[in-house]
Amino acid sequence: MITVNCRDILPIKSSLAVYAADQVGAIPALKSREFILAPIEDEKINSANVITAIKMFLVSLGCERHFAVIQKNDVISVVALDGYKIESSTPGISDQFFSCIHCGHVTQFETVHNNHMKIHYL
């Protein structure tokens, strides 16, 4: 398991967790100031791939130069270099995600989640 410390990027923590989990093939678990990526099978998660996914996500937001991604053992921290604050760009959208209890599929939309759950009961 890999823990990603998101103290300096809390407004995008959930989106980053879903993106990183999708990129490395892991199951995200959200906490108040961090998220954890757990492997789907017994394979170990490559931390270099997680760091690359985090950097790619920051590039997509156009704020990669304001943050450093630092690893110490199994903890990866995203640290603001110049006091840069990320503002939540979508105040109307809920930060709630729905996760499949059978396979770990994660979505922000309840209807997508409900439709996904139906495939497990066919």
Side-chain angles (χ1 to χ4, degrees):
M1 289 193 311
I2 294 180
T3 302
V4 180
N5 181 342
C6 300
R7 292 177 194 268
D8 291 346
I9 56 168
L10 287 177
I12 60 169
K13 175 189 67 168
S14 299
S15 301
L16 175 60
V18 171
Y19 180 80
D22 188 47
Q23 293 297 310
V24 299
I27 300 171
L30 297 174
K31 294 180 131 187
S32 62
R33 298 184 185 268
E34 60 191 23
F35 64 88
I36 296 172
L37 296 173
I40 294 175
E41 295 178 4
D42 291 336
E43 299 175 14
K44 184 173 171 128
I45 298 173
N46 186 343
S47 59
N49 292 343
V50 175
I51 291 171
T52 300
I54 293 170
K55 288 181 178 181
M56 287 176 28
F57 188 79
L58 292 173
V59 166
S60 74
L61 296 176
C63 61
E64 72 279 1
R65 70 174 190 262
H66 298 289
F67 295 96
V69 182
I70 303 167
Q71 179 181 6
K72 184 175 182 182
N73 299 326
D74 284 339
V75 177
I76 298 172
S77 299
V78 182
V79 181
L81 295 174
D82 53 6
Y84 186 80
K85 300 285 183 194
I86 293 180
E87 301 295 327
S88 180
S89 61
T90 53
I93 295 178
S94 170
D95 201 22
Q96 181 178 7
F97 287 90
F98 300 92
S99 178
C100 177
I101 59 173
H102 302 292
C103 69
H105 175 264
V106 179
T107 182
Q108 187 175 7
F109 306 104
E110 186 175 12
T111 54
V112 173
H113 173 71
N114 291 338
N115 287 334
H116 170 83
M117 290 296 288
K118 292 175 185 176
I119 66 169
H120 292 291
Y121 300 103
L122 291 177

